Amino acid sequence: MTQVSIVGTGYVGLCTGVLLAELGHEVTLVDLDPSKVQAVKDGRAPFHEPGLDEALKQQVTSGRLDATTDTQRAVDASALTYLCVGTPQDETGAADLTAIEQAARDVGKALAGLDAEHVVVTKSTVPPGTTRDVVRPAALQAAGDHARGRVSFAMNPEFLREGSALSDARDPDKIVIGAEDPATGRAVEALFEDLEAPIVHVDPSTAETIKYANNAFLATKVGFANEMANVCEAVGADWVDVAEAIGLDDRISERFLRAGLGFGGSCFPKDVAAIAHVAREHGVPSGILDAVLEGNEVQPLRAVELLEAEIGDLAGKRVALLGLSFKPGTDDVRRTRAAPIHDALVDRGAEVVCHDPQASSTFHELRPDATLAETVEDALTGADGCIAQTAWPAYAELGPDRFQAWMVTPVVVDGRRVFDADAMGGSSVTYRAIGLGGQAPDS
Ligand code: UGA
């Protein structure tokens, strides 16, 4: 059993804390905001993540998970500290390291009077070199001479997906440990001895690079799928069939080949931009990464183009926008593709009525002027066209009869291949879908 403190009670900090407590470690979460600390103690995550509230409550009740605003207290009660603070994107595309540097300094200060050994582990997604060149010096400078030689550093990236974070944490496909020396690596590895995943030992900068490469590759795969899907539309092929077939090649795999209106969320867009920025800083061409980002800006507008191709000028037309979150299963609208679609429709003079089963209020914060419907029926009633932006399972149940009954002209653009293409194509609904070439026989 290791006593662990975790700085930051965001997504990564909370999921890491729950996992480590479940693995039998004693965990203290630190956040400077007392309301966040209270929320953790009450077993309330400040965001929607399936199973997290229950798991939090269970670990708090078991006594293995606690939270405090007092960094000193948490660090004193631990042998290892995780840094799990945000690294948002700055205006140049680079990762903003202010919070992680401050967290390293705070932990360093708490380590100043330390007599025991302590490991500081970066878990935030940070550019290669950050643990060595930012975290380490900030912590050691604040800790002072007394702590020198007793504090060591590592980087241990996370690969959790929103919506399945806990199951991803409990059953990871790998655990990457970038430690500055073998003993530190062993201390981090000991935390996960009850998990079965392969452990990859590297140096801290390599661990940091692995995280970016992982996300950048997946985003590139999605970007590739989107581009090929557009080709499929032009040549009369169906990307769903193409993806299924090429996915059978285990060098490719079928995962992350779903074409759509682009990727969103707090990670892919930010991380691809950050690693492209790192490449540029080093004079390394980043053509692939730049193309992925550019394609991702254009892709949402495909939905608007497809709608225009069917109903012409959108001025004065009523358009239902179904799905506002960046993916199903979350109320997170960060970098959601719904925003550029909404804006493009409004720019063209359309009356846009939005719906989402979970993300209406978060989208309202993003676009306070957006019109939000309570139900799908309200959104579709009287509409001249519809764009599906998020593949919510509830939308998949909408058959052509609903669109025919509710809409003035049943024109549906399926941006995520959420509807049954055969049922739609065989009905009087005008159905256009990303990656689906050819027209229904009667359209
Ligand atoms: C992503 C990674 O998948 C995680 O491994 C990583 O830990 C996390 O970022 C992070 O860095 O914190 P997440 O942003 O939660 O996780 O969401 P994903 O499920 O990866 O989806 C990202 C975006 O890609 C979504 O907009 C989704 O709709 C889109 N996507 C994904 C597709 O368009 N097609 C696909 O086949 C898969």
Side-chain angles (χ1 to χ4, degrees), residues 158-162 211 215 256 258 264 267 326-327:
E158 60 82 22
F159 302 97
L160 314 175
R161 285 164 302 166
E162 271 189 58
K211 168 66 196 217
N215 269 1
F256 277 70
R258 284 191 318 278
C267 303
F326 85 93
K327 66 174 184 180

